Amino acid sequence: MAIRIDGKSISTQVKDECREKVAKEGLDITLAVIQVGNDPASSVYVGNKKKACEYIGISSLAYELPEDTSEAELLELVEKLNRDESVNGILVQLPLPSHIDEDRVIQTISPKKDVDGFHPQSVGALSIGQPGFVSCTPAGIIQLLKRSGVEMDGKECVIVGRSNIVGKPMAMLMLRENATVTICHSHTANLKEVTKRADILIVAIGKPKFITSDYVKEGAVVIDVGIHRNENNKLCGDVDFDDVEPVASAITPVPGGVGPMTIAMLMNNCVEAKNAGGRKE
């Protein structure tokens, strides 16, 4: 039976380390969170981020804007927060309403305050191994693996999904850990053959219970990034947990696996932002 990788417990470790650093160094950190509209899932995430800030000892500013906020108004607010020296991190909750260009908004955030790690400068720094903010979910997965004692050096890692938020940065981070990396996507031929090579299989495709045991090598470590509601309104992931657990050596559950790590790493990035903000160009 596979070891269940406990994201709740590991995320608490990360948050406690951040909390200790904030208290010990007397850091005065402020995160600005902008939400446009009232998408229910986004509201839950924003609420969880506020709670995490309170726990760590970080101030949070909440900007809850109406659905019909114009792109120009949103960009003006982001620019104002860029100039505000008391704000260390800026987070614009995605998705945004369809009339707003997400890329333009992300590119407007100062790279020094880009705690989500989505700015092209942050992504570029990651790709060439320079310091910068790393997208929170992939950074959290690295911590899950490290703190669970999973060896990455020399291992074959297969990532299913090539999104800018998870798949691509995940590949860069696994390369940094000296894994051999393959990225699969909707055009990959013989997907099962490729995934069955994986010592570490990371799944972020947005299809509930898509990965079953016949995609997984005996003894593989399986990381499930997906989150969905099944027909009984219960949370599930991209991996069919009950089917895959007997084959894997370690696996993340949904909920309680990758999810909590995303917010923990956001808090870690906020602490790092304090240092980044202190550097003058």
Side-chain angles (χ1 to χ4, degrees), residues 264-278:
M265 296 315 292
L266 172 66
M267 295 299 106
N268 185 69
N269 280 353
C270 288
V271 174
E272 292 298 315
K274 183 68 177 178
N275 300 330

Side-chain angles (χ1 to χ4, degrees), residues 29-35 49 53 58-63 65 74-94 96 104-119 122 133 136 266-267 269-274 276-277:
I29 302 171
T30 299
L31 170 66
V33 180
I34 304 170
Q35 181 181 356
K49 287 164 186 170
C53 284
I58 292 175
S59 303
S60 65
L61 301 173
Y63 295 88
L65 308 179
L74 178 56
L75 294 177
E76 190 181 325
L77 173 58
V78 171
E79 292 281 22
K80 179 184 156 204
L81 294 169
N82 282 341
R83 294 190 299 270
D84 187 339
E85 290 184 9
S86 70
V87 172
N88 308 98
I90 301 169
L91 186 152
V92 178
Q93 184 65 42
L94 304 179
L96 290 167
R104 188 173 294 165
V105 173
I106 289 166
Q107 288 173 31
T108 302
I109 296 169
S110 164
K112 283 187 173 182
K113 300 187 179 188
D114 171 39
V115 286
D116 254 339
F118 295 163
H119 191 283
S122 305
F133 293 113
C136 300
L266 172 66
M267 295 299 106
N269 280 353
C270 288
V271 174
E272 292 298 315
K274 183 68 177 178

Side-chain angles (χ1 to χ4, degrees), residues 60-206:
S60 65
L61 301 173
Y63 295 88
E64 290 160 6
L65 308 179
E67 185 88 19
D68 60 358
T69 298
S70 71
E71 185 178 295
E73 287 170 318
L74 178 56
L75 294 177
E76 190 181 325
L77 173 58
V78 171
E79 292 281 22
K80 179 184 156 204
L81 294 169
N82 282 341
R83 294 190 299 270
D84 187 339
E85 290 184 9
S86 70
V87 172
N88 308 98
I90 301 169
L91 186 152
V92 178
Q93 184 65 42
L94 304 179
L96 290 167
S98 56
H99 65 278
I100 296 176
D101 182 340
E102 284 186 1
D103 286 341
R104 188 173 294 165
V105 173
I106 289 166
Q107 288 173 31
T108 302
I109 296 169
S110 164
K112 283 187 173 182
K113 300 187 179 188
D114 171 39
V115 286
D116 254 339
F118 295 163
H119 191 283
Q121 187 170 313
S122 305
V123 176
L126 173 62
S127 71
I128 59 172
Q130 290 192 351
F133 293 113
V134 177
S135 185
C136 300
T137 300
I141 290 168
I142 294 291
Q143 289 301 313
L144 280 180
L145 293 169
K146 283 185 171 177
R147 292 172 191 244
S148 301
V150 176
E151 182 65 50
M152 290 174 268
D153 196 316
K155 300 298 182 187
E156 183 132 10
C157 172
V158 175
I159 299 162
V160 188
R162 55 178 167 180
S163 72
N164 291 336
I165 291 173
V166 180
K168 290 175 189 170
M170 193 74 247
M172 296 291 180
L173 289 176
M174 292 304 290
L175 285 172
R176 192 187 276 183
E177 299 297 331
N178 299 315
T180 299
V181 180
T182 303
I183 302 181
C184 299
H185 44 77
S186 56
H187 292 249
T188 299
N190 306 316
L191 181 62
K192 284 183 186 175
E193 288 175 29
V194 181
T195 57
K196 283 198 95 139
R197 296 202 310 256
D199 302 306
I200 301 169
L201 179 61
I202 300 170
V203 188
I205 49 171

